[in-house]
Amino acid sequence: MPQPQPNLTRRGLFGNGLWAAVVAGITGLSAYLFGRTKQAKTVWQIDPDKCVACGNCATYCVLELSAVKCVQVYAMCGYCDLCTGYLDPDPKKLDTGAENELCPTGAIERVFVEDPYFEYNIKEELCIACGKCVKGCEAFGNGSLFLQVRHDRCLRCNECSIAAACPSQAFRRVPADDPYLLKGAKESKPAGESKGIA
Amino acid sequence: MNRRSFLFAIVLAFLLSAPLLAVERFPPPDFETNYSFPTTTVPPPRVDQYDYIDAAVLLVALAVATLLIYRKRCRKGVFLLMLLSLAYFGFWRNGCICPIGSIGNIVMSIFDPAYTVPIVVILFFALPLLAALLFGRVFCAAVCPLGALQDLVIFRPLEVPRSVEHLLRLFAWLYLGLAVLFAATGAGLLICRYDPFIGFFRLGDHSSTLILGASFLIIGLFIARPYCRFVCPYGLILRQLGRLSRRFVTITPAECVNCRLCEEVCPFNAIDKPTAPWPQDQFVSDKRRLALLISLLPILVATLAFAGTRLDGILSRSHYTVQLAERVALEQSGVVPDITPNEILAFKKTGRTTDALYADAAAIRRQFRLGGGILGAFIGLVIGLKLITLGVRWRRDEYQAHRAACLACARCFEYCPVRKK
């Protein structure tokens, strides 16, 4: 039988065992999570079907000018002359005068295409994501205007401030290689797997 | 029903019918001119080649910190590395990703089968822990940007009485427990939401974040590193691992001569003084007290576990679904506010039944009852074990850096007159 070494104490043995157990625990947990890693990265996006255009996107983003912007899906747009996303509900005239516009920053550009159709473009540098046009378009139009996180601007906070303040839980994490939830394009897209946590 | 709310109801009905009918009110026109539909731009996320660079920088910084603390024993080097880490992880990378916040992501990915963390988050979570098991809190010393920012503002550190320190640290335990509970139930990432310095790192944020950060820094003038010592949940984990670490910081490179020069230099109260000789007459009363404290442990655990299960109402209200269910219930009971809140509008838009929502909320509440119980038991265990360790007389013959509390900042090295032979 080998002689017990003089520096082998009960306390030392216990300490070493505990140390080894903790190391094994941390590496085991890491390996388990590593094995489950499905996609490289997720980013935040707004599900337009859930969004109620409450206006929180304009104020809750950590950026001074929100990373959320209105987008226009042209294929869905009715190109209406009397656009309820562009014009004030009670316009003085049907023209591009600022007093007739719904957008507080004049971020929607109205371009004549042909009688009686007008194209509406979002000037992203002006859009503050207040959602006024989204509400207007959704209420009486086709809903071709809706809010999306613009990833050239988003800082990708771990805990998105807007997501935490979103009244409809419309924010969710989506794969970074497919980072938009555009209306009209989602038939070809599987339903999001990752659930939004706010 | 007055006229305004009637109009509102019509608008609401119209609004709600839109997704249900799913017809285009105005079909896209057939243009006669050769107009082609523009496509909606989809700018991709900013390219993140930084991810793995970040992890590499973390590893290198941990290695360099270890070298500076154990081999060079050089405070200047540690300080310089701390500044570099603050500049890189803090101001350059905007404080995200950080190991402190990664606790939430790790817990969430364990409990939510649909959520997985990227590899870089796993690395950020695990590397400082493993480093602490080998060399103590080298991460806190020179790598953590939150710690670095607080370390810079230490102006005239006051000594916090040990008892107060123990008491305040209970808050960190509670914070850790709550952060884990909230992440596990999907109520949110508490640590990231209340990160005090993220506003500084981004050079601008909501005023509440900036005020929180500024208060920590002002307190930090007189109480060194208040977030690290009394709040940081990751630091708390590192504390415990520091107790087990293979190597630990020693104030003196050789034999302590009990010169007392280092006695006052630690701003973090992490230097233990040599103990007074054992008072023989107190032996029996000490033993009795220890027996009492040990028997108190199960009582504490059971009481706080029970109290935790009672807190499910308050705790679960942090979860979105429970909040929504309460609002819907309030509306159903006839208490109708003047303006329908956006939450209710959104809920109606989903077309789900209230019963399904209530069932969801009840399930989440049950999770919080179980989680609250576990949290209570955990806090009871912490308090109980703390009391037991405080009830034991430890013997020390020399000045020692406390293995858990020592942030490995290397300040005391300069004060030790003993040089390596």
Side-chain angles (χ1 to χ4, degrees), chain A residues 36 51 114 119 141-142 167 180, chain B residues 25-26 33 35 43 109 320:
Chain A
R36 281 187 56 213
C51 175
E114 60 178 65
E119 183 185 291
N142 285 354
Y180 289 89
Chain B
R25 299 188 183 106
F26 310 100
T33 53
Y35 172 83
S109 75
Y320 173 80

Side-chain angles (χ1 to χ4, degrees), chain B residues 3-333:
Chain B
R3 191 163 160 266
R4 212 170 133 193
S5 59
F6 181 68
L7 272 176
F8 189 74
I10 289 182
V11 172
L12 180 65
F14 211 75
L15 210 135
L16 294 178
S17 66
L20 297 178
L21 295 175
V23 285
E24 281 165 333
R25 299 188 183 106
F26 310 100
D30 297 318
F31 292 108
E32 282 159 18
T33 53
N34 47 3
Y35 172 83
S36 61
F37 291 104
T39 46
T40 314
T41 57
V42 281
R46 291 176 188 179
V47 188
D48 234 347
Q49 73 277 43
Y50 282 117
D51 268 12
Y52 293 98
I53 300 179
D54 282 352
V57 172
L58 176 72
L59 191 62
V60 171
L62 287 171
V64 173
T66 309
L67 206 71
L68 287 171
I69 294 162
Y70 287 94
R71 187 65 57 80
K72 302 278 175 212
R73 298 177 63 83
C74 170
R75 167 69 192 162
K76 282 203 185 81
V78 173
F79 188 76
L80 199 67
L81 181 64
M82 196 181 81
L83 286 184
L84 289 175
S85 298
L86 176 64
Y88 183 80
F89 292 112
F91 292 103
W92 176 245
R93 301 292 293 137
N94 293 135
C96 218
I97 176 172
C98 91
I100 308 174
S102 76
I103 298 174
N105 298 63
I106 296 290
V107 172
M108 198 161 82
S109 75
I110 294 170
F111 284 90
D112 180 356
Y115 177 77
T116 55
V117 282
I119 296 160
V120 66
V121 173
I122 303 171
L123 289 175
F124 262 75
F125 176 72
L127 285 178
L129 297 184
L130 293 174
L133 279 167
L134 292 172
F135 304 108
R137 300 172 68 179
V138 288
F139 172 74
C140 301
V143 187
C144 177
L146 283 80
L149 194 59
Q150 293 173 82
D151 209 289
L152 285 183
V153 300
I154 297 175
F155 169 63
R156 187 149 296 174
L158 305 174
E159 196 185 329
V160 182
R162 292 273 163 123
S163 51
V164 177
E165 190 149 348
H166 282 294
L167 216 58
L168 285 175
R169 206 174 304 117
L170 284 180
F171 176 79
W173 284 106
L174 191 65
Y175 190 46
L176 173 65
L178 282 174
V180 170
L181 178 62
F182 279 32
T185 51
L189 304 176
L190 214 57
I191 303 169
C192 295
R193 196 175 295 177
Y194 299 110
D195 183 336
F197 302 119
I198 194 88
F200 294 122
F201 294 152
R202 287 194 190 116
L203 302 176
D205 205 319
H206 300 301
S207 49
S208 57
T209 321
L210 292 172
I211 290 169
L212 186 69
S215 358
F216 268 112
L217 289 186
I218 290 168
I219 296 170
L221 292 172
F222 305 105
I223 294 167
R225 290 209 193 195
Y227 186 83
C228 305
R229 284 156 78 194
F230 308 123
V231 184
C232 183
Y234 196 74
L236 207 53
I237 301 173
L238 291 176
R239 272 184 74 90
Q240 312 318 316
L241 300 186
R243 294 178 203 274
L244 297 174
S245 75
R246 292 284 91 174
R247 290 197 60 181
F248 39 88
V249 172
T250 51
I251 302 168
T252 163
E255 194 104 336
C256 179
V257 291
N258 281 333
C259 66
R260 305 180 60 184
L261 284 173
C262 64
E263 203 173 66
E264 304 295 327
V265 297
C266 183
F268 313 114
N269 234 355
I271 296 180
D272 284 330
K273 299 180 177 94
T275 49
W278 191 298
Q280 287 296 330
D281 53 325
Q282 282 183 26
F283 184 70
V284 176
S285 69
D286 273 9
K287 242 174 143 180
R288 200 167 289 151
R289 184 179 62 189
L290 190 60
L292 192 75
L293 290 174
I294 290 173
S295 56
L296 195 66
L297 180 70
I299 301 171
L300 266 172
V301 170
T303 318
L304 288 181
F306 176 73
T309 58
R310 303 272 105 186
L311 286 178
D312 59 335
I314 301 166
L315 291 175
S316 65
R317 216 159 288 155
S318 59
H319 196 286
Y320 173 80
T321 311
V322 178
Q323 282 172 24
L324 180 66
E326 285 187 356
R327 281 185 190 220
V328 171
L330 204 67
E331 207 206 18
Q332 300 250 310
S333 66

